[in-house]
């Protein structure tokens, strides 16, 4: 049995169902992210696991124990909030020790645990400071240390990085993942930032309208989206309308170009999708789908240059590596682009 088991979880506020038949099994030591837009139900799921919200129906078990009837302080869970929630009148060391004091840990053991936690988060010398004397990133690390100090069975992180600037966010998410791996603590991380979810998770749950649309590894979520929503929400996507002219072989017509996808397709019109990195400038071996397009916009993104182009009625984004000896085409240039049929996803209606 999984270490954290969520089964048929439902939550309604009045007549509004915000979580619908949510199932998730998480193994011990696994890092799972709940990813989705605002209002999709991800934070509500987290709060039900923590015990701050009571499910309308369903079950939650931690290490084989049903916790639905338990209060938050009985579930042995550590939680880090978006707004840090540090006590302003307590020092850093006192904040970290708060849960240990509630558990009546002896003072000498408590002090040793606080020192251990401050060393773990890289702030060993800041125990006597107050929260207002710390940066946002340091405050969030202290909040993480406080959550971990009690040695929880499960760590819950509710968009803990959203209030930080981009550089600190990248650094801190890497540190959170490193600490989680070191402690092997089962973790649920809530975020609306797909880059965060894909970069640090063992698995990602993409939520929409209270439903888990897809659960999978970052590789699976990005490369093999199960639904149109997942395909469009995660990463940049090119949508290409095509007419199926031979359903048995999956031959489609895009504009005046015909290409076989090598798999059966329903008759009629379908929507195909591919990532920008799947579109190449010029003809290339193994890429029989050739389209003429006009460059509309060139975006310099550092190591990658993103080109926006128009191929008939189809708008395309394509990525090329930034090479100093190979300048990108300019806006207004007419170019040929190529795509491999293997990189084309067929989206449901």
């Amino acid at each position: 049995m999984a270490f954290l088991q969520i089964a048929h979880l439902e939550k309604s506020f009045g007549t509004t169902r915000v979580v619908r038949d949510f199932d998730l099994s998480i193994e011990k030591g696994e890092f799972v992210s709940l990813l989705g837009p605002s209002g999709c139900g991800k934070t509500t799921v987290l709060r039900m696991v923590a015990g701050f919200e009571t499910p309308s129906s369903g079950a939650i078990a931690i290490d084989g124990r049903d916790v639905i009837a338990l209060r938050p302080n009985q579930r042995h869970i550590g939680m880090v909030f978006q707004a840090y929630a540090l006590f302003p009148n307590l020092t850093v060391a006192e904040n970290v020790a708060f849960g240990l004091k509630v558990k009546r840990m002896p003072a000498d053991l408590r002090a040793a645990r606080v020192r251990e936690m401050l060393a773990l988060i890289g702030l060993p010398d800041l125990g006597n400071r107050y929260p207002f004397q710390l940066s946002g990133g340091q405050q969030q690390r202290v909040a993480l240390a406080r959550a971990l100090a009690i040695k929880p069975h499960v760590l819950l992180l509710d968009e803990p990085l959203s209030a930080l600037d981009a550089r600190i966010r990248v650094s801190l998410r890497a540190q959170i993942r490193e600490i989680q791996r070191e402690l092997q603590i089962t973790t649920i991380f809530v975020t609306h930032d797909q880059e965060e979810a894909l970069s640090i998770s063992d698995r990602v749950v993409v939520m929409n309208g209270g439903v888990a649309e897809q659960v999978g590894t970052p590789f699976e979520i990005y490369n093999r989206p199960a639904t149109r929503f997942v395909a469009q929400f995660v990463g940049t996507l090119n949508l290409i309308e095509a007419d199926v002219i031979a359903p048995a072989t999956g031959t489609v017509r895009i504009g005046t170009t015909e290409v076989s996808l090598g798999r059966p397709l329903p008759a009629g019109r379908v929507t195909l999708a591919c990532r920008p990195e799947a579109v190449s400038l010029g003809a290339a071996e193994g890429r029989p789908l050739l389209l003429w397009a006009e460059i509309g916009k060139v975006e310099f993104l550092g190591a990658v240059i993103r080109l926006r182009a128009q191929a008939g009625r189809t708008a395309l984004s394509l990525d090329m590596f930034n090479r100093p000896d190979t300048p990108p085409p300019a806006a207004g240039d007419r170019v040929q682009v190529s795509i491999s049929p293997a990189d084309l996803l067929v989206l449901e209606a």
Side-chain angles (χ1 to χ4, degrees):
M1 176 182 284
F3 186 75
L4 173 58
Q5 186 76 44
I6 302 171
H8 305 298
L9 204 62
E10 298 255 352
K11 180 62 180 179
S12 297
F13 294 103
T15 59
T16 304
R17 292 172 72 196
V18 294
V19 176
R20 297 182 288 161
D21 199 25
F22 184 90
D23 292 306
L24 182 63
S25 299
I26 303 178
E27 300 300 328
K28 188 173 180 61
E30 192 175 16
F31 192 113
V32 174
S33 287
L34 304 184
L35 173 66
S38 297
C40 71
K42 55 189 186 295
T43 293
T44 302
V45 169
L46 199 76
R47 289 177 61 82
M48 286 190 284
V49 174
F52 299 135
E53 296 285 356
T54 302
S56 302
S57 62
I60 302 172
I62 298 176
D63 198 15
R65 182 189 185 193
D66 185 356
V67 299
I68 286 287
L70 300 182
R71 295 191 300 271
N73 64 337
Q74 297 175 316
R75 298 189 183 196
H76 213 58
I77 281 174
M79 188 156 183
V80 180
F81 301 90
Q82 177 181 340
Y84 317 144
L86 297 178
F87 301 110
N89 59 319
L90 300 183
T91 66
V92 165
E94 289 168 339
N95 266 283
V96 175
F98 181 80
L100 304 174
K101 194 172 183 179
V102 170
K103 289 179 176 291
R104 302 181 184 275
M105 178 181 282
D108 56 337
L109 296 180
R110 193 164 67 232
R113 182 63 175 166
V114 169
R115 288 194 297 271
E116 180 185 351
M117 288 296 97
L118 292 181
L120 182 68
I121 63 170
L123 301 176
D125 302 320
L126 301 187
N128 292 325
R129 292 193 184 181
Y130 286 88
F132 75 89
Q133 297 174 305
L134 305 178
S135 68
Q138 289 172 330
Q139 289 184 51
Q140 195 58 291
R141 280 190 276 169
V142 173
L144 176 63
R146 183 178 61 185
L148 293 172
I150 61 171
K151 296 184 178 180
H153 293 155
V154 178
L155 177 64
L156 305 178
L157 302 160
D158 188 12
E159 302 206 45
L161 310 178
S162 59
L164 304 174
D165 67 53
R167 184 181 294 273
I168 294 175
R169 212 161 50 231
V170 171
S171 172
L172 189 51
R173 79 186 184 207
Q175 186 175 24
I176 288 173
R177 181 58 161 145
E178 183 179 338
I179 290 171
Q180 185 271 338
R181 279 180 171 148
E182 181 178 339
L183 300 180
Q184 280 297 293
I185 184 169
T186 307
T187 301
I188 302 179
F189 182 91
V190 163
T191 181
H192 63 269
D193 187 319
Q194 55 183 278
E195 183 180 315
E196 280 182 2
L198 295 176
S199 65
I200 63 176
S201 306
D202 293 314
R203 286 188 298 151
V204 177
V205 182
V206 183
M207 293 189 65
N208 179 38
V211 174
E213 295 250 346
Q214 185 174 358
V215 181
T217 65
F219 182 88
E220 292 166 342
I221 294 292
Y222 186 84
N223 292 299
R224 300 168 192 154
T227 68
R228 179 185 285 263
F229 173 81
V230 175
Q232 293 181 302
F233 184 77
V234 179
T236 301
L237 199 69
N238 292 309
L239 299 179
I240 304 171
E241 297 299 323
D243 293 308
V244 180
I245 58 176
T249 59
T251 301
V252 298
R253 180 186 294 118
I254 302 169
T256 59
T257 303
E258 294 183 7
V259 65
S260 173
L261 303 188
R263 53 192 185 275
L265 292 176
R269 195 163 178 80
V270 295
T271 301
L272 307 177
C274 66
R275 302 294 184 188
E277 60 269 26
V279 185
S280 297
L281 277 176
E285 186 176 353
R287 296 175 178 267
L289 176 54
L290 299 173
L291 301 171
W292 283 100
E294 181 177 317
I295 301 296
K297 188 177 182 181
V298 180
E299 298 177 348
F300 185 79
L301 304 177
V304 171
I305 298 174
R306 176 154 294 173
L307 307 175
R308 312 282 186 177
Q310 194 70 31
R313 296 182 179 180
T314 301
L316 293 174
S317 293
L318 55 148
D319 291 342
M320 60 179 290
F321 286 114
N322 174 27
R323 295 189 177 92
D325 58 344
T326 309
D333 285 355
R334 188 166 172 77
V335 298
Q336 194 174 42
V337 300
S338 57
I339 305 171
S340 168
D343 291 325
L344 291 169
L345 301 170
V346 180
L347 301 183
E348 81 284 1

